Amino acid sequence: MNLILIIPRIGSYITNRGVCLLLASIAIALLSACATAPPSTEAAPPSKTVTDTPIVNQVSEEAAERQLSQNLQAMLAQISKTEGIPLSTLETAFADSKNLAQVRKLVMPGPPGFRKNWVAYRGRFIEPVRVKAGMAFIEQNRSYLEQVEHETGVPGTVIASIIGVETIYGRNMGSFKVKDVLSTLAFNYPDTPNRASREVLFQDQLKQLILLCWAEANCNAPRSTKNPSNIANAFDRCLNQTSSYAGAIGLPQFMPGSIRNFAKDGDGDGVINLRQSHPDAIASVARFLRMHGWQPGMPIYFPITETEQNQAAIRRLADGLPDAKHTVQEFIELGILDSRFGDLQTGGVAPQSKALIIDLPFINAQGNDEVRYVVGLENFLSIVQYNRSYFYAQSVAEFAEALGYVNQSAAFKAPTTPTTKAKKAVAKKTQKPKKPKAN
């Protein structure tokens, strides 16, 4: 996701861990799930690199492997010194680390001239198969989703939407070894303008992964089998679990730092298992959003009606920055929003509620560039913190609506888990999903 319209993406990580891990992480500064976000899924498929001769490629790959190994060894030595993890254990666990060329290609930005397309992006997520899977997920977990919504104020349909957009409810959780992904991106990120900052971010996530896995290996091992060999094996298994190409793991795709700070034991079994436990994944998503500013009972966004009179103001205010610098009242006065959106009694929000203009560029049926605009509210920005992309946040909002979410204030809010009638209506509606139109 880009720095103008959309900011780099984020993911998440998952595995089993005991209560003692939660205690161990209290002192850690909170890390946003998207703090180490990979490039947006809005980007074009990775562009092909110019093919050099086989000898040059081989030398380049060998040099990259050596550089990665040297930098990784230095990091492991530092972690061993500061965290008290035996260096021999770290070196053994990372002895087979690989530099993943495929991962480096996948995080590359789109080629010059790449045109972002909201319609195409939306169509990947809000489609009949995924909506049907979302309905089934809600039905299967209805009781717990309602409990979590009551406790946190985060609608069950929004939670279900995020898990559905991220992994289709566990069907697509990634196939790369997480330690290889993070090692590659930490020390051999592609040569892009933001390479230095991205490597720093992934280095931090690699360290978070090591600390997470070490804590889990020590906390979860039965006392009767807690010996160096068993701990080392558990440590190794955790480091080698599968992830996305950006190091995100499990049903809700948390990065290692996010798991240490936001994951929650939803089923009360003393272990956090975001890969297999629906309650753990549900509780963790809700906790993340709540801790990143989710406002219970408030909508996510408002539609905009473009007119000749307000077009200039809309374009001027759509600066692409994820910063709610304006208020709903300002937008009403500029004619960007109808006055009902500043009235809680009509499903709006308080007039002084913070808001921003969201631009969603797309390619119309004639192949021309257009832009759809909406007004994002504070709940929109809490989703942006989960994955730093406007496309992502708007897709989550609209997918949640397809699952039964009513995007208005609590004054007239319908139940967030769909009734039988609502499910039939949504099923009929999603047979031929309509593409959004620019106003």
Side-chain angles (χ1 to χ4, degrees), residues 80-101:
S80 175
K81 180 179 179 180
T82 59
E83 305 297 335
I85 303 174
L87 182 58
S88 59
T89 300
L90 291 171
E91 290 177 338
T92 299
F94 282 88
D96 61 346
S97 291
K98 294 180 176 60
N99 177 48
L100 302 180

Side-chain angles (χ1 to χ4, degrees), residues 46 65 160 189 225 238 272 307 330 332 334 400 407-408 430:
E65 290 281 2
Y189 199 85
T225 60
C238 178
I272 294 178
T307 65
E330 288 179 62
I332 291 174
L334 289 169
N407 185 50
Q408 60 185 30
T430 55

Side-chain angles (χ1 to χ4, degrees), residues 152-429:
T152 67
V154 180
T157 42
V158 172
I159 297 169
S161 175
I162 285 178
I163 297 174
V165 168
E166 290 288 349
T167 63
I168 319 181
Y169 309 101
R171 297 182 192 179
N172 182 20
M173 295 191 288
S175 59
F176 299 97
K177 288 185 178 180
V178 65
K179 77 176 183 186
D180 291 342
V181 168
L182 295 178
S183 296
T184 298
L185 299 179
F187 300 116
N188 193 21
Y189 199 85
D191 189 13
T192 59
N194 63 346
R195 175 179 180 176
S197 62
R198 301 302 290 163
E199 286 192 339
V200 169
L201 290 171
F202 281 107
Q203 286 166 20
D204 178 68
Q205 287 303 308
L206 179 57
K207 179 179 179 180
Q208 295 298 325
L209 174 68
I210 291 171
L211 297 180
L212 172 66
C213 290
W214 184 248
E216 289 188 354
N218 281 275
C219 288
N220 294 343
R223 291 190 179 185
S224 59
T225 60
K226 191 173 288 188
N227 59 58
S229 177
N230 289 332
I231 290 175
N233 289 336
F235 182 55
D236 190 61
R237 285 194 299 273
C238 178
L239 293 172
N240 285 291
Q241 65 186 293
T242 56
S243 77
S244 72
Y245 68 84
I249 308 171
L251 286 158
Q253 295 284 276
F254 275 16
M255 293 297 282
S258 295
I259 251 214
R260 299 190 71 199
N261 291 287
F262 308 116
K264 184 175 180 180
D265 176 14
D267 54 25
D269 65 354
V271 174
I272 294 178
N273 180 359
L274 298 181
R275 187 180 292 277
Q276 296 174 318
S277 171
H278 288 179
D280 289 1
I282 289 168
S284 297
V285 171
R287 184 167 187 250
F288 181 92
L289 292 177
R290 195 72 178 94
M291 294 183 70
H292 285 84
W294 183 272
Q295 295 187 327
M298 293 294 103
I300 299 172
Y301 74 100
F302 288 140
I304 289 177
T305 301
E306 270 193 87
T307 65
E308 292 184 4
Q309 290 73 30
N310 66 21
Q311 282 184 353
I314 290 172
R315 284 157 177 71
R316 172 173 55 82
L317 296 171
D319 59 12
L321 299 178
D323 182 12
K325 296 177 290 188
H326 306 281
T327 66
V328 167
Q329 183 62 40
E330 288 179 62
F331 291 154
I332 291 174
E333 292 172 356
L334 289 169
I336 294 172
L337 285 178
D338 188 280
S339 61
R340 72 180 184 276
F341 291 127
D343 184 355
L344 286 166
Q345 297 306 309
T346 57
V349 297
Q352 295 308 309
S353 296
K354 295 295 184 180
L356 71 161
I357 303 292
I358 304 299
D359 48 350
L360 305 167
F362 68 97
I363 302 170
N364 66 20
Q366 291 72 43
N368 299 320
D369 291 324
E370 292 192 41
V371 183
R372 176 191 174 196
Y373 295 96
V374 299
V375 168
L377 304 170
E378 292 188 62
N379 284 347
F380 185 96
L381 289 179
S382 72
I383 300 173
V384 169
Q385 290 301 311
Y386 197 100
N387 180 327
R388 294 183 183 182
S389 159
Y390 287 173
F391 278 19
Y392 176 88
Q394 189 64 22
S395 290
V396 165
E398 294 189 20
F399 186 36
E401 288 179 288
L403 296 177
Y405 171 69
V406 178
N407 185 50
Q408 60 185 30
S409 68
F412 282 85
K413 194 169 185 181
T416 56
T417 48
T419 62
T420 301
K421 182 178 179 180
K423 286 189 282 187
K424 289 181 179 179
V426 171
K428 182 177 181 181
K429 181 179 179 181

Side-chain angles (χ1 to χ4, degrees), residues 6-7 28 34 109 129 146 301 398 406:
I6 301 157
I7 308 166
I28 299 170
C34 44
V129 172
E146 291 175 348
Y301 74 100
E398 294 189 20
V406 178

